[in-house]
Amino acid sequence: QVKLVESGGGLVQPGGSLRLSCAASGFTLDNYQIGWFRQAPGKEREGVSCISRSGIRTGYLNSVKGRFTISRDNARSMMYLQMTDLKPEDTAVYYCAANRSPYPASCDLVSGRYEYWGQGTQVTVSS
């Protein structure tokens, strides 16, 4: 059974940091590009970051560039999103997602292409 489980969310003050983790099971992670998405109350879901199958290529939403770092550990079937200098506008439910891709060195943030999704983890940035 395919499963993605996020963890690491929580309440943090502005300027703080969090590391989100996503554990994958039921499929071979090496064949999938990974994306992190978020959805704030009353807003549409948006792509935050992606990483290619090989880990060579990454992509970021402009507003998080320089603050967030995506990574993956295929051997452990784990994906991560390190978030620093968090801002109140980063408050959202964060989801990890996987998209089977034939291309080892590309990724995108087109949510409709992602087949598997986690349940999400809440990140709240507030003083």
Side-chain angles (χ1 to χ4, degrees):
Q1 181 182 0
V2 171
K3 212 173 201 183
L4 292 173
V5 180
E6 303 94 337
S7 61
L11 173 64
V12 63
Q13 292 187 341
S17 299
L18 282 175
R19 187 195 196 203
L20 304 184
S21 299
C22 178
S25 61
F27 64 103
T28 304
L29 188 61
D30 305 44
N31 297 327
Y32 290 76
Q33 71 176 31
I34 299 301
W36 284 93
F37 295 80
R38 68 185 182 187
Q39 188 165 21
K43 294 188 176 181
E44 292 190 357
R45 183 170 57 191
E46 63 179 354
V48 176
S49 183
C50 66
I51 187 167
S52 63
R53 285 170 46 194
S54 62
I56 290 176
R57 175 72 179 267
T58 58
Y60 295 92
L61 182 69
N62 281 339
S63 62
V64 308
K65 282 181 182 176
R67 300 188 297 121
F68 290 11
T69 303
I70 192 171
S71 61
R72 64 190 293 162
D73 184 340
N74 288 346
R76 294 187 173 188
S77 294
M78 292 293 298
M79 299 82 78
Y80 307 97
L81 186 68
Q82 178 69 48
M83 307 186 294
T84 63
D85 190 23
L86 283 160
K87 306 176 186 300
E89 51 264 41
D90 295 318
T91 295
V93 177
Y94 284 71
Y95 302 88
C96 62
N99 170 28
R100 187 178 180 96
S101 172
Y103 308 111
S106 68
C107 74
D108 62 68
L109 287 171
V110 180
S111 62
R113 294 179 180 164
Y114 283 77
E115 304 154 60
Y116 304 131
W117 292 81
Q119 292 301 304
T121 185
Q122 176 70 47
V123 171
T124 303
V125 185
S126 174
S127 55

